Amino acid sequence: MEAVMVRYGEIFLKSETVKRRFISIMKGNISLALEAEGLAHRIETPRGRVLIYGDETRQIAAAAARTFGVVSASVCTMTTADIEGIAAAAVEHAERRLLPGMSFAVRARRSGVAGFNSQELAAAVGAAVLDRIPEARVDLTAPDYEVFVEAREFGGLVYDEKIAGPGGLPYGTQDEVMALLSAGIDSPVASWLMMRRGCLMVHVHMKSGRFGGADEEKNVLQNHARLSRWVPGHLLDLLVVDMEPFFEVITALKEPRYRCILCKRFMLRVAGILAGERGAYALVNGDNLGQVASQTLANMVVIAPATSVPVLRPLIGFDKEEVVDRARAIGTFEAHPGSIGCTVAPRYPSTAAPAATIMKLEEEIDAESLAERAVGTVRRFRAKNGVVEEVG
């Protein structure tokens, strides 16, 4: 009989009450992921393990391994909890992958089973493997092949593959945050990282209109759809705000070098209002220290006070290549995004805008009223399992 075993990491560090709640949420998220794939299943949670039963174990393991909070998943052979049953199953696994001349190791664990310890279990299984494949050799340091065996109170488990998961915390174990989502590379990764920490997510996009590229909205919706695939079964909201009136005002100003600072402050101002309406606890953006002029430390200090809502910057210390690598891994990287540039950005932006100057310019353009007007332009989209539709 086969089952899928799911492993989790830092959840172990929580108190028993919190651990039970987190595991329950993760179990529900796994069920949603499997239902989205049409995979019939049954989940059990014996102490320290999550076991999933179903006919299509390979597909179940792959889907479960994309669930936040999951460190890895394995298709396991279920046996009796005695050495004989475990060793027989381990030999069957080894015969499929351990060739003569290769080295191997047995990694054993035991919990809640009397009569032998982990070392004795490993030695007995290793002897059984060598008896069947005598040309193999043991190497506990850097083996060519590893077989994992566990003796638990509910039975034995044998496996030799692990599918890596995203880790983190189960989605929904933290409160809602609002991420500023663009058509670019950074902000989808920032959103994903906060979803990986358990935050319920809502996206907001500041649409450039005629001041942006022709492919901007298409790419934003695509980013939103791709991120929704990481939380299958959950609804992921996107709010799209019309920025054209604001851009018309700031492009008419005599001094262009402060446009990016004014823009970033305006975005935070609008997102802060929307977050307050929804009760979101924080804003998330893709700022990366020193990457562009508006992301110098001096400018960040000027930009941050535009909202009283806390701003989370999960990419703040990343190198650009790290962000690109993560975007590729999570499926949001687009090698040929098309036309997504901004025509408002000045040729020579300020890297250290004086706060007093920015405050004066905001009074001149009445940024507060512009923000209230922008909030009234919101279009709402909703994604589920990679499909996006406009809802109002």
Side-chain angles (χ1 to χ4, degrees), residues 231-305:
V231 287
H234 290 273
L235 297 174
L236 190 61
D237 286 345
L238 167 66
L239 311 180
V240 177
V241 177
D242 182 8
M243 290 280 286
E244 269 199 41
F246 172 75
F247 286 146
E248 288 170 353
V249 171
I250 65 169
T251 52
L253 293 173
K254 293 180 180 179
E255 182 52 81
R257 61 178 171 157
Y258 299 128
R259 288 177 187 171
C260 291
I261 312 306
L262 291 167
C263 181
K264 293 287 280 244
R265 279 181 56 88
F266 187 77
M267 289 181 177
L268 288 185
R269 189 190 296 268
V270 171
I273 295 171
L274 293 172
E277 290 178 354
R278 290 187 62 108
Y281 278 63
L283 302 178
V284 179
N285 69 21
D287 281 352
N288 180 273
L289 188 61
Q291 180 173 256
V292 295
S294 64
Q295 294 174 17
T296 64
L297 199 54
N299 278 340
M300 285 186 182
V301 170
V302 174
I303 292 167

Side-chain angles (χ1 to χ4, degrees), residues 122-138:
V125 171
V129 171
L130 283 173
D131 186 56
R132 184 65 60 89
I133 311 172
E135 300 89 348
R137 56 189 175 83
V138 175

